[in-house]
């Protein structure tokens, strides 16, 4: 199964994650160009065994730093993407960039 790094998110009007920018690693501290995936695509990929991990760029070291593994939390039949698996009804992948700010 593949390993992906999530580096940015898009937040919908109801304040949940609608899309993520995910990359496949390409060597030590480097990643291939990212692709935007819908939240439902990420949920399906995780359920199929793929691994998603948050990642942020560490400017002092000049490379990407691995964050937390992303899991799915289902509350009241709604799937949420979480890096902290608690029972709050929201997505939470930490302090990632917003996709729309990257343009």
């Amino acid at each position: 199964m593949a390993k992906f790094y999530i580096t940015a998110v898009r937040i919908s009007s109801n304040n949940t994650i609608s899309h993520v920018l995910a990359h496949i690693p390409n060597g030590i501290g480097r990643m291939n160009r990212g692709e935007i995936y819908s939240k439902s695509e990420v949920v399906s990929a995780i359920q199929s065994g793929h691994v998603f991990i948050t990642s942020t760029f560490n400017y002092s070291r000049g490379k990407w730093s691995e964050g937390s593994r992303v899991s799915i939390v289902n509350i009241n039949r709604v799937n949420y993407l979480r890096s902290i698996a608690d029972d709050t009804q929201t997505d939470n992948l930490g302090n990632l960039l917003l996709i729309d700010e990257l343009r």
Side-chain angles (χ1 to χ4, degrees):
M1 295 296 149
K3 182 182 204 179
F4 296 87
Y5 287 97
I6 297 175
T7 59
V9 296
R10 178 173 289 143
I11 305 297
S12 68
S13 60
N14 64 353
N15 211 26
T16 62
I17 292 173
S18 63
H19 294 81
V20 303
L21 177 62
H23 310 258
I24 296 175
N26 182 13
I28 298 172
R30 302 193 188 275
M31 290 190 231
N32 288 323
R33 182 182 173 118
E35 291 194 35
I36 296 175
Y37 297 93
S38 70
K39 178 179 172 178
S40 62
E41 289 174 313
V42 174
V43 167
S44 293
I46 291 172
Q47 290 171 334
S48 296
H50 297 288
V51 175
F52 285 79
I53 299 170
T54 61
S55 185
T56 55
F57 193 75
N58 184 320
Y59 289 94
S60 63
R61 294 176 54 208
K63 63 181 185 176
W64 290 93
S65 294
E66 192 170 293
S68 301
R69 186 170 178 157
V70 176
S71 62
I72 303 165
V73 175
N74 186 289
I75 301 171
N76 296 327
R77 294 189 290 234
V78 176
N79 288 320
Y80 297 98
L81 298 176
R82 306 302 309 270
S83 59
I84 301 169
D86 61 17
D87 291 332
T88 59
Q89 287 184 285
T90 185
D91 294 305
N92 176 349
L93 294 184
N95 296 321
L96 297 178
L97 298 171
L98 296 177
I99 293 171
D100 297 327
E101 293 178 341
L102 299 176
R103 296 181 181 193

